[in-house]
């Protein structure tokens, strides 16, 4: 999902790993992590977050500014890091998410937001995974929103644009997951994610908004169906974010700001910043997304 501002600096360790990988050298942390069998107190657990502004943790602020690095990936990293710490295991988190990324730019380069890696995000991710082939690595992927979100701009839905965007997601995500799978080691877990529908917020703007909100759910279901299908083809579980946000639930209605609105509309207005026109999740929404990813992992992961 596309914001407008500068990107935060990536973790220095990530840059080191990518540089060494490009030179054909396995980082010391990866080599050391190979000792001790399948788990053990000294084996490092790694988490790599990939995707767009949701992976980057972008949020607008009430004063018209923004923050990055405060999203689901950070929430998930805190939970996994705490679990690893209880087992006396080191934990490393790397976030390559680039705001504005589409499936095309993720694979081919050209993310419009400043970023530290050269080439494409996919190339950087592949180098990271090759450097950590023997390690326990979790990879989360969210991508596809920017391929279609422009199709609902201006208060109406451009159906040909939407169908073309969904097809771009089908082919682009297939390439992305294929290359990630090829680079990943046997102890790498890749988890994808479907998407909530920010355009449900249009419901509260009147009859035309209700029509847009209704149509947007149909678009969301089509897009999420494609994401789930491609994920399954690559044996990647899909975090069910749309279900967590009750995206299809126009019933029941619930109270919100002195009126009654459908449950799915309330979720969007309470769990994202759409009340001020920002499609990104807020702290509550990002926690819901993190929990959807956790639901696709073993209860004690990493173990």
């Amino acid at each position: 999902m596309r914001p407008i501002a500068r990107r935060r600096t990536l973790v220095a360790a990530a840059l080191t790993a990518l540089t060494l990988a490009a030179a054909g050298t396995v980082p010391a942390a990866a080599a050391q992590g190979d000792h001790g069998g399948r788990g053990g107190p000294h084996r490092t657990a790694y988490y790599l977050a990939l995707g767009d502004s949701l992976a980057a943790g972008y949020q607008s602020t009430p004063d018209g500014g923004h923050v990055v690095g405060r999203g689901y990936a950070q929430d998930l990293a805190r939970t996994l890091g705490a679990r690893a710490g209880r087992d006396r295991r080191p934990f490393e988190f790397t976030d390559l998410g680039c705001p504005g990324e589409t499936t095309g730019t993720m694979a081919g380069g050209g993310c419009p937001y400043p970023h530290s890696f050269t080439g494409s995000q996919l190339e950087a991710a592949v180098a990271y995974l090759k450097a950590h082939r023997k390690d326990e690595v979790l990879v989360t992927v969210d991508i596809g929103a920017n391929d279609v979100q422009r199709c609902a701009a201006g208060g109406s839905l451009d159906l040909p644009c939407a169908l073309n965007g969904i097809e771009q997601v089908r082919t682009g995500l297939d390439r992305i997951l294929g290359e990630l799978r090829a680079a990943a080691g046997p102890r790498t877990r890749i988890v994808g994610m479907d998407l909530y529908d920010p355009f449900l917020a249009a419901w509260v703007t009147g009859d035309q908004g209700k029509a847009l909100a209704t149509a947007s759910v149909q678009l969301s279901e089509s897009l999420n169906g494609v994401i789930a299908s491609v994920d399954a083809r690559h044996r990647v579980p899909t975090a069910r974010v749309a279900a967590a946000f009750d995206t299809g639930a126009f019933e029941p209605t619930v109270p919100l700001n002195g009126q009654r609105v459908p449950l799915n509309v309330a979720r969007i207005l309470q769990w994202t910043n759409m009340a001020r026109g920002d499609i990104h999740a807020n702290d509550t929404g990002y926690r819901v997304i993190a929990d959807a990813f956790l639901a696709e992992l073993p209860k004690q992961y990493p173990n």
Side-chain angles (χ1 to χ4, degrees):
M1 296 187 178
R2 187 182 303 272
I4 48 165
R6 299 190 56 193
R7 194 191 191 297
R8 82 261 186 258
T9 304
L10 291 176
V11 179
L15 299 179
T16 302
L18 296 177
T19 301
L20 293 173
T25 303
V26 177
Q32 293 168 359
D34 195 40
H35 297 293
R38 194 170 183 278
H42 304 299
R43 190 180 185 92
T44 302
Y46 297 89
Y47 170 31
L48 175 65
L50 304 176
D52 52 30
S53 53
L54 295 181
Y58 177 94
Q59 294 190 49
S60 65
T61 55
D63 61 2
H66 76 283
V67 295
V68 290
R70 202 171 88 189
Y72 75 78
Q74 289 72 32
D75 290 337
L76 189 54
R78 278 190 291 272
T79 298
L80 299 180
R83 291 179 180 178
R86 287 196 294 268
D87 292 334
R88 299 185 306 144
R89 297 183 61 190
F91 177 81
E92 291 188 14
F93 167 48
T94 301
D95 191 345
L96 296 182
C98 188
E101 201 81 284
T102 64
T103 54
T105 62
M106 186 173 179
C111 180
Y113 203 79
H115 48 277
S116 61
F117 50 83
T118 58
S120 71
Q121 184 180 163
L122 180 58
E123 290 170 342
V126 165
Y128 181 100
L129 291 176
K130 287 181 176 179
H132 291 279
R133 282 189 62 86
K134 295 182 179 181
D135 297 310
E136 182 177 21
V137 183
L138 170 66
V139 182
T140 59
V141 183
D142 84 79
I143 198 69
N146 290 321
D147 292 76
V148 299
Q149 72 168 9
R150 69 188 186 279
C151 304
S156 61
L157 177 61
D158 184 338
L159 184 57
C161 169
L163 294 176
N164 181 65
I166 290 172
E167 188 57 32
Q168 289 175 356
V169 173
R170 186 191 307 277
T171 57
L173 183 58
D174 186 60
R175 174 185 173 183
I176 290 164
L177 294 182
E179 293 195 23
L180 293 177
R181 269 286 177 220
R187 301 183 65 236
T188 294
R189 292 178 181 269
I190 304 174
V191 183
M193 157 184 154
D194 65 16
L195 303 168
Y196 62 81
D197 177 7
F199 301 107
L200 278 164
W203 182 276
V204 299
T205 65
D207 290 342
Q208 184 176 355
K210 287 181 173 64
L212 173 59
T214 302
S216 74
V217 168
Q218 296 172 350
L219 168 63
S220 177
E221 290 174 347
S222 296
L223 174 60
N224 287 334
V226 164
I227 291 173
S229 175
V230 176
D231 284 354
R233 186 180 310 142
H234 293 275
R235 307 181 311 283
V236 170
T238 305
R240 300 180 66 240
V241 172
F245 274 69
D246 294 299
T247 295
F250 285 100
E251 294 289 344
T253 61
V254 296
L256 182 71
N257 298 330
Q259 60 179 315
R260 295 193 69 85
V261 301
L263 177 62
N264 53 1
V265 175
R267 292 283 191 251
I268 286 299
L269 290 172
Q270 292 171 326
W271 292 355
T272 76
N273 291 310
M274 278 300 288
R276 55 173 176 263
D278 172 23
I279 63 178
H280 299 88
N282 56 26
D283 288 338
T284 301
Y286 276 127
R287 183 66 254 178
V288 170
I289 296 171
D291 287 343
F293 275 109
L294 285 171
E296 299 302 323
L297 298 173
K299 290 187 181 299
Q300 299 304 316
Y301 183 89
N303 54 23

